[in-house]
Amino acid sequence: LPSRPRRLVVVVNPVGGRRRALATYKNKVAPLLHRAAIATSLTVTEYQGHGREVGEGVGEGVDGVVAVGGDGLVNEVVLGLLLRSCRLHHHDPHDHTRPLPSTKLRLGIIPGGSTDATCHGTHGTSDVITAALHIIMGDSRSVDLAAVYSGDKLQSVATTMVSYGYFGDLLRTSERWRCLGPTRYLVAGLLQFFRNRSYEGSLKVLTPATPLSHTYDIDKCNHDCGVCDNAASSTSKPGEWLQFNGRWSIVTSAVMSCACRLTPHGISPTAHLGDGCTDLILVSGGSRWRVLTYLLRTAYTGDAARLNHVNMHRVQEVHFTPKVNKPKSSWNCDGEQLLEPTLRLKVHCQRLRLFSRGVESAGDSYTKTTISPSASCKNASSV
């Protein structure tokens, strides 16, 4: 396995999710890395933004970075790796007119948060051992990331979703109740449902000239995805700009399916990991029934796009401007809060490299080779 790593930088968030990330790494992951003869350098984060600093400061001779925690830590490390790549390529990260350079270092994700959507969406599971073995074997998969700009500044990056309205308000409320652990999301979600807030604004989106896939497709992204392969071998040209004005309870830009234990189908079940697009989901405001039916279908059936009050568009770029002198929400960017409501989001095709092979299809089967007892003894003695 020539592509497997030899030296890794490991970043652990000890307070994320159920506060078990450090114990998970020491008890389950570190012994496997040790047996695979992989040298590691461990950093335990001490404050918000620490993960970004570690990712940005990785030196030479390292094969990758491993983030042990939730989507918030992954977001920080990805931003750090991107800034590191921009520095090495003499690229201004705040210049939204130019494509961002690819991250040379691969990122491994060990789930340790509340939802772990990034891990689940790229492996098809949130199992710790599975994620660790993908790192040890040196699997590699390039996925999209979305650069989030406010004004002329790069504010953050997103690998899963950026959402305004219900999910933005939910995150803002849940931050006050961290002492409740993952339960705080359920409590905050119920509170936002009863508040029934919606927000007015305008959206300007850029569609691809020749879409490689559509939101209503049946086939889902997997480890052998033809859509992602075509996107890697061709340059997607921009198409036309579309304008939307309205009042919405939820405005979500899903970079990947966002599947997790709470929503096994994902927020956008047919989203691709590397097609250079994001799925824009618009849920009309005005009634609790609309929000409730959208949330239930997203969680249990995965067909929320069929609802009349839900619209979905596969786009390359999103500009959102809230209506002046009207109530405003905040953005939920991979579990991190962005307070500025005016936002520009641009997808960069397959700029992030992961220790992953993609989601394996349910029908995949692998034939096991039968070994005779004598051959088994011979192999054991050679070891």
Side-chain angles (χ1 to χ4, degrees):
L1 300 173
S3 62
R4 79 179 190 93
R6 306 291 177 175
R7 292 184 59 194
L8 295 172
V9 171
V10 180
V11 189
V12 180
N13 178 11
V15 298
R18 296 176 175 84
R19 300 176 180 266
R20 299 174 184 170
L22 186 57
T24 296
Y25 172 73
K26 289 184 176 180
N27 298 331
K28 295 184 177 182
V29 181
L32 292 175
L33 299 180
H34 177 72
R35 291 192 65 181
I38 298 176
T40 59
S41 173
L42 174 64
T43 299
V44 179
T45 59
E46 300 176 355
Y47 47 85
Q48 188 174 10
H50 196 176
R52 177 190 61 78
E53 294 175 3
V54 174
E56 189 175 1
V58 174
E60 297 297 326
V62 175
D63 300 313
V65 179
V66 176
V68 187
D71 296 322
L73 177 65
V74 173
N75 177 278
E76 287 190 10
V77 176
V78 170
L79 179 58
L81 291 175
L82 179 65
L83 293 176
R84 176 184 182 273
S85 183
C86 288
R87 184 181 71 247
L88 295 176
H89 289 84
H90 306 288
H91 176 90
D92 181 7
H94 303 293
D95 185 0
H96 59 80
T97 63
R98 297 174 56 196
L100 293 171
S102 175
T103 59
K104 179 181 178 181
L105 296 176
R106 283 174 290 177
L107 172 66
I109 303 170
I110 302 295
S114 301
T115 56
D116 301 307
T118 311
C119 180
H120 200 290
T122 53
H123 293 307
T125 177
S126 298
D127 180 67
V128 171
I129 303 301
T130 299
L133 291 176
H134 281 299
I135 296 170
I136 292 171
M137 296 174 68
D139 289 332
S140 183
R141 177 72 180 260
S142 294
V143 301
D144 297 341
L145 61 79
V148 180
Y149 303 91
S150 179
D152 295 326
K153 296 292 184 180
L154 175 69
Q155 295 295 319
S156 185
V157 294
T159 57
T160 55
M161 74 169 191
V162 183
S163 189
Y164 186 83
Y166 177 85
F167 292 109
D169 293 342
L170 184 156
L171 178 64
R172 180 164 53 188
T173 302
S174 67
E175 286 297 303
R176 308 189 194 114
W177 300 336
R178 278 191 166 272
C179 59
L180 299 178
T183 307
R184 69 185 187 272
Y185 294 113
L186 176 60
V187 176
L190 288 173
L191 178 61
Q192 300 313 317
F193 171 74
F194 287 112
R195 284 177 173 172
N196 189 32
R197 291 174 175 172
S198 56
Y199 302 93
E200 294 183 65
S202 63
L203 281 161
K204 185 179 178 183
V205 300
L206 178 64
T207 59
T210 54
L212 298 175
S213 61
H214 301 276
T215 57
Y216 50 79
D217 290 342
I218 299 177
D219 296 333
K220 296 183 179 181
C221 186
N222 55 44
H223 74 286
D224 190 24
C225 180
V227 172
C228 296
D229 290 342
N230 289 336
S233 60
S234 61
T235 303
S236 179
K237 296 182 180 180
E240 61 177 344
W241 287 93
L242 302 178
Q243 182 85 27
F244 303 101
N245 297 296
R247 180 185 176 196
W248 301 286
S249 296
I250 301 173
V251 177
T252 296
S253 175
V255 186
M256 63 171 64
S257 69
C258 304
C260 65
R261 61 182 180 85
L262 300 177
T263 55
H265 298 281
I267 290 177
S268 181
T270 62
H272 288 269
L273 291 174
D275 65 345
C277 291
T278 180
D279 286 353
L280 178 66
I281 305 167
L282 305 175
V283 181
S284 299
S287 93
R288 293 186 181 92
W289 176 249
R290 291 179 177 179
V291 176
L292 180 62
T293 53
Y294 169 77
L295 294 176
L296 290 176
R297 290 216 182 183
T298 299
Y300 296 108
T301 62
D303 61 350
R306 295 183 180 180
L307 295 169
N308 292 330
H309 57 277
V310 176
N311 293 305
M312 188 178 294
H313 309 271
R314 188 152 289 173
V315 301
Q316 296 173 318
E317 196 167 337
V318 178
H319 298 184
F320 178 81
T321 305
K323 192 167 185 178
V324 180
N325 299 326
K326 292 291 184 178
K328 298 176 179 60
S329 178
S330 58
W331 289 91
N332 181 337
C333 178
D334 287 354
E336 297 296 313
Q337 187 178 10
L338 303 179
L339 298 177
E340 176 55 50
T342 303
L343 172 142
R344 174 198 296 263
L345 181 146
K346 185 174 182 179
V347 180
H348 296 270
C349 185
Q350 301 191 20
R351 291 302 193 271
L352 173 63
R353 297 185 66 203
L354 297 178
F355 285 107
S356 171
R357 64 180 62 168
V359 179
E360 295 176 2
S361 303
D364 288 345
S365 61
Y366 301 92
T367 303
K368 293 183 179 181
T369 304
T370 302
I371 303 177
S372 64
S374 58
S376 178
C377 293
K378 181 180 179 181
N379 290 338
S381 61
S382 65
V383 174

